[in-house]
Amino acid sequence: MPKNPIRKPLVAANWKMNTERAEAAALAKNVVDSIGRQYKVDVVLCPPYIWLHDVGMIIRDSNISLGAQNMHWEDKGAFTGEISSIMLKSIGCKYVIIGHSERRQLFGETDENVNKKLKKALTVVLMPIICLGETLEERESNRTAEIVTNQFRSAFDGISDFGGITIAYEPVWAIGTGRNATPQQAQEVHKILRQMLQNKTAEYENIRILYGGSVKPDNAAELYKQDDIDGFLVGGASLKAGDFAAIVQAAMI
Ligand code: PGA
């Protein structure tokens, strides 16, 4: 089935734990200058929490939205070092990344946590970008479908309304390694995810599934041509405004 035009492409920048204050501001300004007025692609910047306000002010009059890289599932309380969804809303976030593989692998985030965060994000009307993907070992032992299927089931347990949800397929072996999934490898998993969505909701054709993992200006167009790839979650390449803008351009065709 060809790509369904009902899905507006989305390209999100995950700056991770990068940028000092002045750099973050300069990067956001450069992104606004290059792609801040286009309306064909939904563009999201996810800076570190501490620069959300600064970046939010810079993108305020553009078509770019603000997102966070993580959140806690409680509204407030004794959770030292955590940030709640309510706080993110009040600083102007529209999106939030949930379940990034670095959170899962380095900070012990579980499928159960991902599910709790997702439910909370939906309650406060933050648009979640739910990440899932297999490790190299899992891929090499032919367990990719099983892993992403299980992650999908756990993440969306108890969810029936998928409005506002985006999924990001990010094979762990492709993140920050310079080794992207081939368009065919990515499409194969995206198709599985689309079928899982179809089993859950009649709205499955409306839900965006992003690819993430070493997306660069020179591989984005081929990836985007795949029927079920609706945009990108970009790490390293989002730290250069020119590269990020080129990736957004690739999702306009
Ligand atoms: P990368 O990161 O583009 O640097 O591989 C992607 C991500 O972690 O979201």
Side-chain angles (χ1 to χ4, degrees), residues 12-14 16 97 100-102 131 168 170-171 174-179 211-216 233-238:
N14 176 8
K16 308 191 179 182
I97 298 171
H100 190 277
S101 67
E102 285 151 17
C131 303
E170 297 207 300
I175 295 179
T177 57
R179 180 181 164 194
Y211 168 77
S214 296
V215 177
K216 303 276 183 274
L233 180 54
V234 189
S238 72

Side-chain angles (χ1 to χ4, degrees), residues 129-142:
I129 301 175
I130 301 293
C131 303
L132 38 81
E134 80 290 359
T135 63
L136 185 58
E137 201 193 337
E138 289 161 347
R139 173 160 284 268
E140 286 176 344
S141 50
N142 288 324

